[in-house]
Amino acid sequence: MDSRTGLPVVGMVGAGQLARMTHQAAIPLGQSLRVLAQSPDDGAASVAADVMIGEHTSYDDLLAFAAGCDVLTFDHEHVPTELIRSLATAGHVVYPGAHALEHAQDKAVMRQALTRAGVPCPAWRSVSTVDDVAAFGAEHGWPVVLKVARGGYDGRGVWTLTESAAAAHVLEPDRAYIVEQRVPILRELAVLVARSPYGQVSVWPIVQTVQRDGICVEVIAPAPDLAAELAGVGATLAVRLAAELGVVGVMAVELFETADGLLVNELAMRPHNSGHWTIEGSRTSQFEQHLRAVLDYPLGTTTMTAPWVVMVNLLGGPDGGMGIDERVHHVMAQWPDVKLHLYGKSPRPGRKLGHVTSLGSDLAEVRARAGAAAAYLHQGGHR
């Protein structure tokens, strides 16, 4: 409990852009967000007042960090499950808990749970050898998608294979993998859900995510031309999964839209890139909602503030940077209605350095403004 305000203290393990934006959401709530950072240069460490430097893989560091918090949560999913269980056993409140979080940490665990629950997802199998991959390809057809079970993100740890021999260059004896059928998709979607310990849930409109080289580059809210029936199926599925897995906080459900309906691709149990649009585009942002959920406060409304919202990620340009000072000046002058978010990161090629958000009633215009502003920041010109 914060001795000055009498309000509970939320501790967030990890100090990247998600923690930075959660810190911003905590301020108007009077909350004190405590951050466990690996470095003083981490994005959230440069703005939060209460920062501890430590390792998320060290139980001693986690225990020392938890001592000053009423509830612990995460800005990433890399804290070992056994350490989360040990923190809970020691009496600390941790959301999401180890059981729920494991479904986002381990793709094999996630796929097993989805299969047991009858949730539609691509055909899959745990594999460890080239023969395993060959047998799966023979059964389900080529190409197939090979993924590391733990640790992959933003296209890392994911390979599309057209023949089994290619797996020999990927498989490592000390890592776990799954292989999946490469399904024909119409587009990629995502739905965000928040759930509190009390059991209250809230859902945002389903969005379309645009991927390039395995990285989300654009989010359109709501997903254009999505049938109302499918939107209802996606929202119901997200609520069901949050309840069955015991999620507390925000969870993102990444979806494939196919000719036969929706398939679940991935789960993320934290605020998510597909929800950054909610800062300006929803009455309650995903970051505020995550705080409300882990504190077991009543959840806020997720009504959109405009008919269309488009978020575009800002990636480091070919030279690693964005020529940021001069370009920010010109973007603000040229597109005064576009909202700019920078994460305080050192630039390098392809790194997520921030995002821009545009709102309005004409989707083509909203999308063009966001894209043009992002392109100018990226390279001083058009995409």
Side-chain angles (χ1 to χ4, degrees):
M1 195 71 68
D2 189 316
S3 60
R4 297 165 300 170
T5 65
L7 293 170
V9 176
V10 177
M12 182 162 271
V13 178
Q17 64 260 28
L18 299 181
R20 186 182 177 102
M21 288 182 274
T22 304
H23 167 72
Q24 293 167 330
I27 293 171
L29 297 180
Q31 298 296 326
S32 176
L33 186 70
R34 192 167 192 237
V35 176
L36 179 65
Q38 288 184 293
S39 165
D41 296 328
D42 290 348
S46 64
V47 296
D50 191 357
V51 179
M52 174 180 162
I53 305 301
E55 295 293 331
H56 62 268
T57 54
S58 165
Y59 183 64
D60 289 340
D61 287 352
L62 290 169
L63 202 59
F65 179 70
C69 305
D70 293 276
V71 59
L72 288 180
T73 189
F74 310 95
D75 104 325
H76 60 70
E77 291 142 341
H78 306 311
V79 180
T81 308
E82 62 272 16
L83 299 188
I84 301 173
R85 289 197 176 95
S86 295
L87 287 168
T89 300
H92 297 286
V93 179
V94 186
Y95 292 134
H99 170 74
L101 194 60
E102 190 173 18
H103 293 85
Q105 293 175 324
D106 191 310
K107 292 177 174 61
V109 171
M110 174 192 68
R111 288 283 184 250
Q112 289 166 0
L114 295 179
T115 302
R116 286 195 303 268
V119 173
C121 59
W124 72 282
R125 187 175 301 160
S126 292
V127 294
S128 59
T129 68
V130 173
D131 288 344
D132 293 338
V133 177
F136 183 86
E139 180 179 351
H140 295 282
W142 300 91
V144 299
V145 180
L146 183 67
K147 300 179 179 180
V148 292
R150 284 179 173 264
Y153 67 98
D154 279 352
R156 299 175 180 88
V158 179
W159 302 268
T160 299
L161 308 180
T162 57
E163 59 179 4
S164 60
H169 304 291
V170 174
L171 296 171
E172 299 176 16
D174 58 344
R175 300 197 75 174
Y177 298 85
I178 67 168
V179 65
E180 296 181 350
Q181 182 182 26
R182 187 181 181 186
V183 296
I185 66 171
L186 302 176
R187 57 178 168 174
E188 296 192 44
L189 306 171
V191 56
L192 285 176
V193 60
R195 182 176 179 271
S196 70
Y198 181 76
Q200 185 183 8
V201 293
S202 66
V203 184
W204 287 266
I206 295 181
V207 301
Q208 178 178 341
T209 64
V210 180
Q211 314 288 323
R212 185 182 304 138
D213 298 326
I215 299 175
C216 177
V217 294
E218 183 184 31
V219 175
I220 305 169
D225 301 318
L226 181 65
E229 181 181 357
L230 271 189
V233 168
T236 300
L237 179 61
V239 170
R240 175 189 164 194
L241 285 174
E244 290 186 1
L245 299 179
V247 174
V248 172
V250 166
M251 179 177 72
V253 182
E254 298 180 42
L255 301 163
F256 292 147
E257 182 182 359
T258 75
D260 297 321
L262 301 179
L263 301 178
V264 174
N265 179 32
E266 301 280 357
L267 302 178
M269 294 182 191
R270 50 172 171 75
H272 190 256
N273 193 201
S274 66
H276 292 351
W277 67 272
T278 62
I279 297 174
E280 287 85 24
S282 173
R283 294 295 181 188
T284 308
S285 77
Q286 65 166 340
F287 301 101
E288 178 184 341
Q289 200 81 303
H290 187 73
L291 289 168
R292 287 185 181 222
V294 301
L295 289 165
D296 209 10
Y297 288 171
L299 301 182
T301 181
T302 56
T303 304
M304 291 183 63
T305 60
W308 296 105
V309 185
V310 175
M311 185 280 296
V312 178
N313 279 319
L314 303 177
L315 306 180
D319 59 356
M322 295 191 294
I324 196 65
D325 189 29
E326 180 181 356
R327 293 180 192 176
V328 164
H329 179 92
H330 288 294
V331 162
M332 288 181 172
Q334 181 69 25
W335 298 279
D337 60 321
V338 171
K339 301 298 290 186
L340 171 62
H341 296 261
L342 296 176
Y343 303 153
K345 290 181 172 182
S346 58
R348 65 171 181 257
R351 191 182 196 190
K352 288 179 183 174
L353 303 178
H355 71 268
V356 297
T357 306
S358 179
L359 300 83
S361 56
D362 184 306
L363 175 58
E365 182 184 349
V366 170
R367 196 174 186 186
R369 289 201 310 270
Y376 193 91
L377 285 163
H378 177 71
Q379 58 192 21
H382 298 292
R383 285 192 293 182

